[in-house]
Amino acid sequence: MNENITLRKAVASEAPIIWDILAAAIERRKADGSDQWQDGYPNEAVVADDLSKQYGYVLVEGKTIIGYCALILNDEPAYKTIEGQWLSNDNFMVIHRIAIAANHLGKGLVQTMLTHIEELAKEQHINSLRADTNFDNAAMLHLLKKKGYQYCGEISMRGTPRKAFEKKL
């Protein structure tokens, strides 16, 4: 892993950069023919909320922000109802809104981000990571499997079915 790439808490002044990264990712999902992120979510208000609640994290290379995600401890209402079963009932960290800057795509940075998230969870004595994605997000489905996440079932996010995954650390 590139030691020059780190994951750190985002700060409010970085919201415009974060939104640019997410907005470009939303457009890429649309261009791929996906319904994911095509319903007005995420948006700038979601980013502001992430930052105010200390959920936002940025992937940084040197001083350049190259990615974003939201990490939420034990709090995802949509995860309370699953058609299937979670692997554990322990404390968990939810991973949402992963996006990489357009000019840094194709470098394996989502994998790098997921590795950093695992390290952060372990530092906080959190032994479970959960994530969900759209049924047609082939790249994320592949990465979750590659990184050892297990398919647990289906959840509903904003009225849309999503594949839910968990990784025990």
Side-chain angles (χ1 to χ4, degrees):
M1 187 164 55
N2 185 335
E3 292 179 18
N4 197 32
I5 298 176
T6 59
L7 183 73
R8 66 162 172 79
K9 271 199 191 274
V11 296
S13 63
E14 295 167 334
I17 297 164
I18 292 165
W19 175 242
D20 286 347
I21 290 170
L22 281 168
I26 290 166
E27 287 304 311
R28 286 193 303 274
R29 296 298 299 140
K30 184 177 183 178
D32 289 344
S34 175
D35 291 333
Q36 186 175 7
W37 289 2
Q38 303 305 307
D39 61 355
Y41 167 94
N43 54 49
E44 289 171 282
V46 170
V47 172
D49 189 57
D50 283 351
L51 297 176
S52 73
K53 292 179 178 173
Q54 304 287 305
Y55 295 162
Y57 282 79
V58 287
L59 193 66
V60 180
E61 185 174 33
K63 293 184 178 184
T64 304
I65 295 172
I66 59 174
Y68 177 75
C69 67
L71 302 177
I72 305 165
L73 186 61
N74 292 327
D75 187 23
E76 175 47 75
Y79 287 8
K80 288 185 171 93
T81 304
I82 183 170
E83 289 181 31
Q85 186 172 350
W86 294 111
L87 301 177
S88 72
N89 293 316
D90 299 333
N91 288 333
F92 60 92
M93 185 178 285
V94 178
I95 306 167
H96 277 318
R97 297 179 278 289
I98 290 181
I100 300 298
N103 57 341
H104 285 83
L105 295 172
K107 299 178 182 179
L109 292 174
V110 172
Q111 239 181 271
T112 299
M113 182 182 283
L114 289 171
T115 299
H116 281 297
I117 291 168
E118 288 179 20
E119 291 168 358
L120 179 67
K122 287 176 187 175
E123 287 170 13
Q124 296 180 11
H125 307 287
I126 305 298
N127 297 316
S128 171
L129 296 172
R130 293 181 182 177
D132 65 87
T133 194
N134 218 47
F135 285 78
D136 64 4
N137 191 338
M140 184 56 91
L141 291 167
H142 173 76
L143 276 174
L144 290 170
K145 183 177 179 182
K146 184 175 181 178
K147 291 292 288 178
Y149 287 74
Q150 293 183 35
Y151 176 70
C152 293
E154 195 174 293
I155 57 116
S156 180
M157 187 69 69
R158 296 178 318 284
T160 303
R162 313 265 294 185
K163 288 190 170 195
F165 296 84
E166 184 172 10
K167 180 175 183 176
K168 291 181 75 175
L169 303 175

